[in-house]
Amino acid sequence: MPMTTLTPAEANRLFYAEHAVDYDATEFCANAALGQQRLRQALAPALGALPPDPRVLDAGGGSGNASRYLFEQGLQPVLVDASAEMGALWRSKASALGYEPQTQVAELEAFFAEDQRSWDLVVFSSVLHHLEDPGRLLGQVARR
């Protein structure tokens, strides 16, 4: 049987198609109070520097842990993730919390190549290590 080589995005999409439902219960950054505290501490300075009515993107947002915090701060983030299952998990959680989330299923590289919007804040929480070339992507993001 020939061996198939997957891109990181393809491998992640296949993995999270099966494991999205378990993500919040098994990932330190998602379920541990310390992980959530670190996320909030990391975001606090950026939130304080935002203009009124900011455009906020949760890039590779998965099950929406950063988006949840952003909603709690009165923001309306757009969550983009390569996994449809992770996006669905966030939509379900957001609805239960009374939020109306905006989500898009896309690989981050393709999203930033095609989407021409500018953003006041782009959040990467537990996603850069999933990318093939994070430096190239961050260059694209910085120009927005």
Side-chain angles (χ1 to χ4, degrees):
M1 173 181 271
M3 192 168 174
T4 303
T5 302
L6 300 174
T7 68
E10 292 166 334
N12 280 294
R13 209 171 11 261
L14 288 172
F15 178 82
Y16 288 111
E18 185 175 333
H19 297 284
V21 69
D22 301 321
Y23 183 82
D24 286 341
T26 60
E27 291 296 320
F28 171 80
C29 62
N31 72 349
L34 182 58
Q36 290 298 301
Q37 179 183 355
R38 287 181 181 165
L39 173 63
R40 292 165 190 258
Q41 288 174 339
L43 287 173
L47 297 180
L50 288 174
D53 299 316
R55 294 169 310 270
V56 179
L57 179 69
D58 187 359
S63 67
N65 292 298
S67 282
R68 179 181 180 166
Y69 177 64
L70 295 167
F71 267 107
E72 290 170 356
Q73 302 309 304
L75 302 171
Q76 300 290 317
V78 174
L79 182 143
V80 175
D81 199 273
S83 168
E85 291 80 8
M86 292 295 273
L89 181 60
W90 166 234
R91 284 190 303 280
S92 175
K93 288 171 35 179
S95 293
L97 295 167
Y99 303 137
E100 293 185 31
Q102 295 179 49
T103 62
Q104 185 171 338
V105 176
E107 294 180 23
L108 292 178
E109 294 86 348
F111 175 82
F112 282 106
E114 297 166 8
D115 185 274
Q116 296 304 308
R117 289 176 281 185
S118 61
W119 303 95
D120 297 304
L121 175 65
V122 177
V123 176
F124 292 95
S125 176
S126 299
V127 70
L128 291 176
H129 61 284
H130 290 285
L131 304 176
E132 191 162 343
D133 189 347
R136 183 177 59 211
L137 180 69
L138 291 173
Q140 289 177 301
V141 173
R143 289 188 285 279
R144 305 279 187 77

